[in-house]
Amino acid sequence: MDSLPDAILQYILSHLSNARDVAACNCVSKRWSESLTYLRSLYFPRNSFDSRSGSYSSDTVVWKMLSATACLEELVVYSPFTSAGLASWLSLVHSSLKDLELRMDNVMDYQACLDSPSKLDCIAAAKKLKSLKLWGVLMANPPKWDVFENLLCLEIVGARLEDPALSAALGACPNLTNLVLLGCEGVRSVSIELPYLEHCKLDFYGSGNCSLSLTCPQIELLEVQGCSWIRVRETSCLRNLSIANNAGKHSTYDPGMLFSQLCRILIIALLCDALGRVYMVDFGKLSALESLSMRGVQWCWDAISKMLEWSNEVKHLYMKVEFTGDLEALLPFPEVDFVEFFNSHPKLQKFDIHGAMFAALCQKNSLKNVEPGFVIPCLEEVVVQVRSPLNAEQKMNTLESLLKYGKNLKKMVIRILQMKSSHSSTDEFFDEICRLRFMNRKIVRIE
């Protein structure tokens, strides 16, 4: 390394990011220390200062490392810090900083909201940010932000939010193309108007009765969890849509938990299905939609039927809704006509059917309108979840019809889930499924 020209040494060391590695290289020689001026990124893990010795505080150590850089573009801090420390850091690097990621650790600390300036307020100094990611945030009051003209990506994970504070934060980011709000509590009504937004993922904790209004003409991907009333005004570009309402009390974010624990809790919260209801949806024609996912314990049938009507161009449909009905009444799906359904979705290539939707396609009269010449033209893959041997004959007829009329069907997965073996018809039903698998072994698989 000593024989390398300065330019090459600077180039190599500029690709370091972990603060511990940078500190170690800084002690090698004066030449190496001076080369670290060209660092582009600095990352401070959670345990960066666990074994710290000396009189300097962690805020001061970070400040000294930042002061040695000339053009830092990315700063990631998971270690504890104060609002005063953050303000001092950003005063050094605000002119070049593009990406900022902070573990705020104040989601339970209401006193922190009274600090002046608060940690959130301090971020206003980094006016040239393109990406901002915050973990463990308490946003009870509107942050004192000016407009972030260059900010394209905003991610907030594990947060307690008040409606006015969230509205003010989004208003300061008018040019966002990517918005992610995961594991957010306290939100009751959300209105998002962002003309350039393309990707949006929203996950709200609580009672599940949040309302969402979204006006984003460029939106291409939308994932919504925890909303009962959803209105999206402009959908001409929307290609991927996922709606779920898995409401209920999730584990609360704890400032002392490990980063990996927080990630695990958030993943579980996103995947688990607890009681939640979707009452109203208003999307209009979904002419560009390719993928639609509907999940939750209960949806009003009006919401389900409208989504199916608007998404007649969809290629991938995932349905895991257990009940319909209004308010507290949990009702089964009404009968769905097999022919009408597939004629209404001629481009459907992959169909994941779980629970009530499969049962609705297996009613006594679901197949009565099948006529000679009927085909399902584009269907290539079907995933069916079967829980009960009840209505076994109609279920087998529906499975056989999918194989018969799906001329391009390449794969059918039948998932047997929690079927009670004590029922008298269970063994016979399972034998029929195995027979179907044997007769169509190139296509059918049992899980």
Side-chain angles (χ1 to χ4, degrees):
M1 292 287 283
D2 289 342
S3 62
L4 291 177
D6 288 345
I8 295 179
L9 179 62
Q10 291 166 5
Y11 177 80
I12 293 173
L13 295 182
S14 71
H15 285 76
L16 293 175
S17 61
N18 191 293
R20 290 181 180 272
D21 297 336
V22 173
C25 291
N26 188 60
C27 299
V28 172
S29 68
K30 181 180 179 181
R31 182 169 176 248
W32 277 43
S33 178
E34 291 174 348
S35 297
L36 294 173
T37 301
Y38 301 96
L39 284 173
R40 297 286 182 178
S41 174
L42 259 178
Y43 164 55
F44 293 86
R46 180 68 177 171
N47 61 351
S48 294
F49 302 101
D50 286 357
S51 58
R52 176 176 55 88
S53 60
S55 58
Y56 292 122
S57 67
S58 57
D59 283 352
T60 303
V61 174
V62 175
W63 184 89
K64 284 181 172 292
M65 295 186 73
L66 293 176
S67 64
T69 66
C71 51
L72 193 74
E73 295 183 357
E74 181 182 31
L75 176 61
V76 180
V77 183
Y78 292 153
S79 57
F81 61 91
T82 65
S83 57
L86 179 59
S88 65
W89 307 340
L90 296 181
S91 68
L92 292 173
V93 299
H94 69 275
S95 60
S96 60
L97 196 63
K98 296 179 181 178
D99 304 305
L100 178 62
E101 183 169 353
L102 302 172
R103 176 168 168 155
M104 304 290 279
D105 274 358
N106 68 342
V107 72
M108 302 294 290
D109 186 5
Y110 284 90
Q111 181 61 38
C113 289
L114 303 178
D115 294 342
S116 185
S118 68
K119 290 181 180 180
L120 280 174
D121 294 340
C122 294
I123 296 173
K127 298 182 183 300
K128 296 184 179 180
L129 286 179
K130 291 186 176 180
S131 174
L132 175 61
K133 301 179 182 180
L134 304 174
W135 295 78
V137 185
L138 174 61
M139 195 181 290
N141 301 314
K144 297 176 182 178
W145 292 350
D146 294 326
V147 177
F148 290 101
E149 294 286 356
N150 298 325
L151 193 66
L152 301 178
C153 177
L154 175 62
E155 296 187 18
I156 299 177
V157 181
R160 290 180 181 270
L161 307 174
E162 295 292 338
D163 294 350
L166 177 59
S167 179
L170 296 179
C173 312
N175 299 318
L176 286 179
T177 60
N178 192 339
L179 174 63
V180 177
L181 303 175
L182 298 182
C184 296
E185 293 186 84
V187 178
R188 293 173 294 277
S189 179
V190 183
S191 180
I192 300 174
E193 297 184 16
L194 295 168
Y196 305 107
L197 191 67
E198 296 177 357
H199 300 140
C200 183
K201 298 182 179 181
L202 307 174
D203 171 37
F204 300 121
Y205 285 0
S207 60
N209 59 358
C210 176
S211 65
L212 169 67
S213 175
L214 191 140
T215 306
C216 305
Q218 301 299 320
I219 192 73
E220 296 179 4
L221 180 147
L222 176 61
E223 297 181 8
V224 182
Q225 144 64 26
C227 292
S228 292
W229 293 269
I230 304 169
R231 174 174 283 109
V232 181
R233 300 184 184 280
E234 299 182 55
T235 58
S236 60
C237 297
L238 188 60
R239 291 181 173 82
N240 297 281
L241 174 61
S242 174
I243 303 175
N245 199 347
N246 306 324
K249 291 302 291 181
H250 299 289
S251 299
T252 303
Y253 172 83
D254 178 358
M257 69 175 59
L258 295 175
F259 178 77
S260 59
Q261 291 174 318
L262 174 62
C263 291
R264 192 177 300 115
I265 286 173
L266 290 171
I267 290 172
I268 292 172
L270 286 170
L271 295 179
C272 71
D273 283 344
L275 183 59
R277 299 178 178 88
V278 176
Y279 293 117
M280 188 279 291
V281 291
D282 182 5
F283 282 85
K285 182 68 174 176
L286 297 168
S287 57
L289 195 67
E290 297 179 357
S291 176
L292 172 62
S293 172
M294 294 187 283
R295 294 178 290 122
V297 174
Q298 183 184 16
W299 283 48
C300 289
W301 180 249
D302 182 64
I304 294 175
S305 58
K306 283 182 177 178
M307 290 304 306
L308 293 176
E309 178 185 348
W310 294 330
S311 60
N312 59 355
E313 301 291 318
V314 73
K315 296 179 181 178
H316 180 191
L317 179 59
Y318 180 100
M319 292 193 66
K320 189 177 182 181
V321 180
E322 299 301 330
F323 299 97
T324 183
D326 298 323
L327 299 177
E328 301 300 324
L330 297 177
L331 302 175
F333 281 23
E335 184 176 282
V336 175
D337 186 275
F338 186 90
V339 174
E340 182 181 343
F341 176 82
F342 284 104
N343 281 342
S344 300
H345 300 85
K347 297 182 180 180
L348 190 61
Q349 296 177 1
K350 182 177 180 180
F351 191 17
D352 287 73
I353 328 170
H354 298 255
M357 185 61 187
F358 180 59
L361 285 168
C362 299
Q363 296 302 307
K364 182 177 181 180
N365 296 317
S366 294
L367 294 168
K368 68 178 182 180
N369 293 322
V370 176
E371 297 177 353
F374 168 72
V375 294
I376 306 173
C378 298
L379 191 65
E380 297 179 359
E381 182 177 348
V382 176
V383 179
V384 180
Q385 182 173 291
V386 182
R387 291 198 206 178
S388 169
L390 298 177
N391 202 17
E393 183 179 353
Q394 282 77 21
K395 288 178 179 177
M396 292 306 304
N397 287 339
T398 299
L399 293 174
E400 290 169 354
S401 296
L402 288 169
L403 289 165
K404 179 179 180 181
Y405 300 112
K407 298 301 183 182
N408 293 308
L409 192 64
K410 300 174 182 177
K411 181 179 179 182
M412 174 185 284
V413 179
I414 303 174
R415 291 177 177 161
I416 311 297
L417 179 66
Q418 298 176 342
M419 187 179 292
K420 297 186 182 299
S421 59
S422 59
H423 198 280
S424 59
S425 61
T426 299
D427 291 343
E428 182 179 347
F429 181 44
F430 191 72
D431 287 344
E432 286 296 309
I433 292 178
C434 291
R435 180 190 61 79
L436 184 73
R437 160 72 178 86
F438 179 77
M439 298 296 293
N440 302 275
R441 53 186 174 273
K442 292 184 178 181
I443 299 176
V444 179
R445 186 173 82 239
I446 300 174
E447 294 181 354

